Amino acid sequence: MSGAGKEALRRLAGLGDAERARLVGSLSETSVTVLERAWALWAHGGQLPPPGDWRVWLLQAGRGFGKTRAGAAWVRAMARAVPEARIALVGATIEDARKVMVEGPSGIVAVTGAVDAVVWRPTSGEVRFGNGAVASIYSASAPEKLRGPEHHFAWADELAKWSAPTAWDNLTMGLRLGTWPRVLVTTTPRTTALMRQVRGAPGTVVTGGRTRDNEALPAAFVAAMEASYGGTRLGRQELDGELIEDVAGALWPRALLERQRVREVPELARVVVGVDPPAGVGGDACGIVAAGLGRDGQGYVLEDASVTGASPERWAQAVVACATRVSAERVVAEANQGGAMVEQVLRAAQAELPIRLVHATRGKAARAEPVAALYERGRVWHARAFPALEDELAGLVAGGGYEGPGRSPDRADACVWALTALMLDRQGEARVRAV
């Protein structure tokens, strides 16, 4: 396609729905066909197949991302590339396969019908293309139906909802026609054994995407969803397309973190900022977490202001800025990495509030256990979702060890220092009343 043609398509994509519909309605059938074939220009990047010799493309994305549209377009491309191809369309149920993958507004009939001669035969569950290719629908809840048929390609939708993992085994064992059998998996992620199996299998390429990546969605809808669920486990799964798993023996299971979340913070009696300084420059993050003690005796995590790869001057400024925002009464900073230096750097950044230096005599996980117990007893709450901090908390393991992101749980350690100063005595026992 010429440069002028590509620019015209981009302009068309930028029109409103009504204007675009009027323009497309005025075009000839040939022009509409040209537009439909230009999927690579209409699609956003996450909807296009990844390069390389993959066997399984796992498209793991949030709701509304455009997974179904990507799946239908890929099936159309495979049908064109291999005349007389046999393609499996597998949904969680036969109704899902029929109503979403084939008949839906982004399904194969809608995507392909205006361009290629396709015939949908509901009684036999087959989509027949003009060149002889055939796509047949199957249900993952009836895995035996996939035991015999052979296919060149397959599209598996909403894998995380499949009730019978053997459906995947039967499907992949039947992918043995042609020289390059492949399967596209489109799904919103959930932590299931089958998802872990497919993600970790040789030959699997994983791509992802978020709800907000689809610019065709109403902005008001996206904003409302992110306001309600942004940063929570549900939002990260359903909107951001993340696969979030619990670490065995985690001090902070994901369900606990979700439970201990509030929308409003009551009047606070005290506020401190916990700091876990980095050992050097440009390495680990400087953990900076603000927490408050409510007059109700409950603890509240207020802000995660941690910075990564910062110089001492920059992270000290971040500490002072955070303390100012939350009206903190003091900074509690770990001194193991050079207590005098930590205080000196903070003073140089005009930190006028008291600075308390604390020395770690136990490992991070051991220090965290009494604080985790406060969460379990319902005494600590998060004022909102803090994804990076919560990922680190969820990576701390009872008995020692860390299995979260990064080399060290700097944010989690800063949070522990702040809550320890507010709610625990020197022996790690919970204080009964607010001070």
Side-chain angles (χ1 to χ4, degrees), residues 138-163:
Y138 299 91
S139 168
S141 60
E144 293 304 310
K145 297 285 186 180
L146 285 161
R147 181 174 289 276
E150 298 179 348
H151 301 97
H152 295 82
F153 309 105
W155 172 20
D157 191 43
E158 292 300 347
L159 184 76
K161 290 172 54 179
W162 286 21
S163 59

Side-chain angles (χ1 to χ4, degrees), residues 310-318 345 349:
S311 66
E313 293 76 14
R314 182 166 161 256
W315 64 250
Q317 291 169 359
V345 170

Side-chain angles (χ1 to χ4, degrees), residues 204-225:
T204 295
V205 172
V206 182
T207 65
R210 303 164 299 177
T211 299
R212 70 176 74 96
D213 293 339
N214 188 350
E215 296 180 357
L217 291 175
F221 166 78
V222 176
M225 291 299 99

Side-chain angles (χ1 to χ4, degrees), residues 4 43 81 94 129 208 217 228 247 267 301 307 342 370-371 393 421:
I94 203 68
F129 295 80
L217 291 175
S228 297
V247 173
E267 184 180 356
V301 178
V307 292
V342 172
V371 177
L393 291 171

